[in-house]
Amino acid sequence: MVLDSGRDAVKTIDVPYVAHLARLTLDDKEIRDFQGQLDQIVAYVKIIQQVDVSGVEPMAHAVQIRNVFRKDEERKGLDRDVVLANAPVHDGEQFLVPKIV
Amino acid sequence: MNYSATIGLEVHVQLATRTKMFCACNTDFGSPPNTHVCPVCLGYPGALPVINEEAVRLTVMTGLMLGSEINPFSKFDRKNYFYPDMPKNYQISQYDRPLCIGGAVAIEANGVAKTIPLTRIHLEEDVAKNMHVRNASSIDFNRAGHPLMEVVTEPELDSSEEAFAFLQALKQILLYGGISPCNLEEGNLRCDVNCSVRPAGQPALGVKTEIKNLNTFKGVFQSLQYEIKRQIAVLESGGTIVQETRRWETETGITESMRSKEAAHDYRYFPDPDLMPVVLSSEQIECWKALLPELPRQRCDRLVRQYSIPPYDARVLSADKAMADYFEEACRYYASSQATRSAHAVAPSAAAGDEKLAKTGPKAISNWLMTEMLRLLSEKGIDIDQAAIRPKALAELVRLAEAQVVNSNTAKDVFAALFEQGGDPELWVKQKGLVQVSDAGAIEAMVEKAMADHPGSVADFRAGKSAALQFLVGQVMRASKGKAHPQRVQELLKKKLTTTAN
């Protein structure tokens, strides 16, 4: 996970901030609980910092497969009524959401 | 105090692919909403994206045209945020390994040539289109997943004029390369603008603001003009600029604050585990390099060399690829008709004295395009591809004018008619009876009649009012329904007016 350079220095996870980014609403007790659990997880993952990785190129992917492409050829997608059937609100053509501006 | 402005642009370009970036849905503009969608572009759980090879090729071609370095190792990352236009809650983009690094675009603004360096060119997916109705926003996912190439400049543009010139130059190159249709009405080119001002001479840049989602070049120009003035006014009055995102309001002509950077998004980019990295071999890049199209500047130079037209003409013609294509096609027809020239069915003998007035074919074709064609195109608001007069017809019209089959005024009328309805100029001239009257006897009869009908003008001319000559020429031209050879009418009139006076 890429963190802002300013955040790299933070030793513990800012749980309310991370919860907000994930659009999760946590109460005070949950924040305390997750704080402990997440700090534990981070501490565990930090073990890997003991390994000397200087000179090792960061991996972009776990498997060594490259260049998986498709040709620029059209295939039919889904019918609109099927697509809209799952929407909480629609007008028969478009999805409708609470006004966003 | 004097201020300098510093501007950087992020230009989003929809690529000319048939299908979307990561799925096989059609990319046609203007289809009914939500009819080109599938599990991938709707972000259904478990649906897997696959890279469209053509989008990668078009982006690399752009980089090669703009002199970028092509990244041998490139990858796609997730840019995480919540917004209804992005159903996966992340946009697939490129973070630290874009396809192209660096490059430059040559521009000319206010008569000064300058090179604007690029930071990078990367590839991402477009988002859905929102429309805002009274109580709700509607979402059309047809656009979601359209391959979107982002060209990022260094902050080295100094004025709204330079930003405008940059966009025009970039568009021209993209059109030449067939990278994007660059249709602004269809949202093919959209722009984010970063702008700051600082007192002239101060080395450190001022605080910048960003204006988002401008979809016309005029909008970029006007919003920058406004924003530079606004920032200067804030500083002059002792205030400070807040780093923020602003929205350009076309109706009111001002920029308005959208959100400040403190509450800016934390996108938490990370490599997309669904997509494998792109590794381009130097052989592959060389292979694409060999297919690079001729660029506007190269074509301009070649037009001067090959057709002996003035550099000014070549610049105007090569500015638009379709216009330059049209010109060259017309020149080819012109050249191929050279051999059969004497076989013109209706060609009367051309007067030797007029030969020197005739432009060479390519120059005449260029003149037609730069004057009548551009005027009519802008009047009708259409592109040259939509003009009914085709290159072959223009070449023939130039031949007819050269051979004096029609005079220049008639030729203009023929051009205007064929511009509307197309067809063959020679046939048109014959059918409408527009063949120029060069026959000395016929002209003499009309000249004598005009003199007899307007004795006052004849007397005026002889009394030294030379303007009367033009009136009499006009009378003869009208009597001939515009078909008389104007120079010959004038010569003959002059001769008769002066000789009989003595």
Side-chain angles (χ1 to χ4, degrees), chain B residues 173-195:
Chain B
I173 292 166
L174 295 174
L175 283 173
Y176 264 75
I179 305 299
S180 167
C182 295
N183 192 329
L184 274 75
E185 286 77 35
E186 297 186 2
N188 294 156
L189 280 183
R190 308 192 307 269
C191 203
D192 296 344
V193 173
N194 286 289
C195 166

Side-chain angles (χ1 to χ4, degrees), chain B residues 355-425:
Chain B
E355 286 286 319
K356 64 178 187 298
L357 294 173
K359 307 277 193 304
T360 66
K363 175 57 184 157
I365 291 167
S366 163
N367 285 353
W368 279 108
L369 293 176
M370 293 199 306
T371 54
E372 294 303 293
M373 181 66 95
L374 283 177
R375 186 175 63 76
L376 290 169
L377 289 175
S378 85
E379 250 173 43
K380 305 277 171 202
I382 58 172
D383 293 326
I384 194 163
D385 297 332
Q386 297 161 274
I389 183 165
R390 299 318 305 153
K392 184 166 192 253
L394 177 57
E396 280 172 14
L397 182 59
V398 167
R399 280 268 173 242
L400 294 177
E402 241 173 37
Q404 315 257 337
V405 175
V406 291
N407 65 39
S408 60
N409 284 333
T410 307
K412 268 185 198 163
D413 295 341
V414 174
F415 185 93
L418 298 185
F419 180 88
E420 292 287 344
Q421 50 207 71
D424 175 44

Side-chain angles (χ1 to χ4, degrees), chain A residues 2 17 21 57 60-61 66-67 69-75 77-78 80 93-97 99-100, chain B residues 18-20 23-24 26 33-34 37 51-53 82 97 133-134 137-139 266 269 273 277-279:
Chain A
V2 177
Y17 175 75
L21 286 177
E57 186 75 3
H61 207 282
R66 306 281 181 252
N67 298 347
F69 296 128
R70 35 169 274 275
K71 296 261 172 260
D72 187 22
E73 286 161 6
E74 188 187 341
R75 243 191 1 248
L78 298 170
R80 183 163 69 187
E93 292 189 336
Q94 309 210 39
F95 296 86
L96 295 180
V97 297
K99 198 161 179 172
I100 48 180
Chain B
R18 276 190 290 277
T19 66
K20 292 187 180 180
C23 62
N26 179 301
N34 295 305
V37 292
I51 300 167
N52 184 340
E53 189 169 25
F82 287 96
R97 293 283 191 152
V133 288
R134 208 169 332 133
S137 295
S138 60
I139 309 170
D266 178 351
Y269 283 95
V278 175
V279 176

Side-chain angles (χ1 to χ4, degrees), chain B residues 243-460:
Chain B
Q243 186 174 348
E244 62 183 354
T245 302
R246 300 178 70 84
R247 184 190 3 248
W248 169 244
E249 303 288 348
T250 316
E251 296 80 25
T252 49
I254 62 167
T255 62
E256 265 182 358
S257 182
M258 280 170 77
R259 59 166 185 251
S260 79
K261 272 282 176 195
E262 284 109 287
H265 293 135
D266 178 351
Y267 290 124
R268 295 153 293 146
Y269 283 95
F270 65 89
D272 192 323
D274 290 343
L275 293 162
M276 301 301 148
V278 175
V279 176
L280 297 171
S281 66
S282 48
E283 293 79 38
Q284 175 67 83
I285 293 168
E286 284 308 312
C287 171
W288 282 337
K289 215 178 231 172
L291 298 173
L292 276 183
E294 186 183 34
L295 291 179
R297 293 198 162 209
Q298 298 162 343
R299 191 168 199 179
C300 177
D301 294 345
R302 181 173 61 78
L303 292 184
V304 172
R305 276 199 318 274
Q306 190 174 337
Y307 300 98
S308 307
I309 55 172
Y312 174 81
D313 293 39
R315 260 204 307 280
V316 173
L317 296 171
S318 60
D320 176 2
K321 180 172 185 290
M323 180 68 75
D325 289 346
Y326 190 109
F327 169 75
E328 292 205 78
E329 200 182 335
C331 286
R332 272 193 297 278
Y333 280 116
Y334 177 87
S336 72
S337 68
Q338 195 118 38
T340 57
R341 189 177 184 182
S342 56
H344 261 300
V346 292
S349 58
D354 288 331
E355 286 286 319
K356 64 178 187 298
L357 294 173
K359 307 277 193 304
T360 66
K363 175 57 184 157
I365 291 167
S366 163
N367 285 353
W368 279 108
L369 293 176
M370 293 199 306
T371 54
E372 294 303 293
M373 181 66 95
L374 283 177
R375 186 175 63 76
L376 290 169
L377 289 175
S378 85
E379 250 173 43
K380 305 277 171 202
I382 58 172
D383 293 326
I384 194 163
D385 297 332
Q386 297 161 274
I389 183 165
R390 299 318 305 153
K392 184 166 192 253
L394 177 57
E396 280 172 14
L397 182 59
V398 167
R399 280 268 173 242
L400 294 177
E402 241 173 37
Q404 315 257 337
V405 175
V406 291
N407 65 39
S408 60
N409 284 333
T410 307
K412 268 185 198 163
D413 295 341
V414 174
F415 185 93
L418 298 185
F419 180 88
E420 292 287 344
Q421 50 207 71
D424 175 44
E426 194 166 330
L427 207 63
W428 179 270
V429 164
K430 268 195 213 164
Q431 281 173 351
K432 301 281 167 183
L434 298 174
V435 176
Q436 176 162 264
V437 178
S438 303
D439 174 64
I443 291 179
E444 186 164 10
M446 289 188 283
V447 163
E448 279 167 2
K449 182 163 188 310
M451 286 173 64
D453 289 349
H454 303 282
S457 298
V458 172
D460 283 350

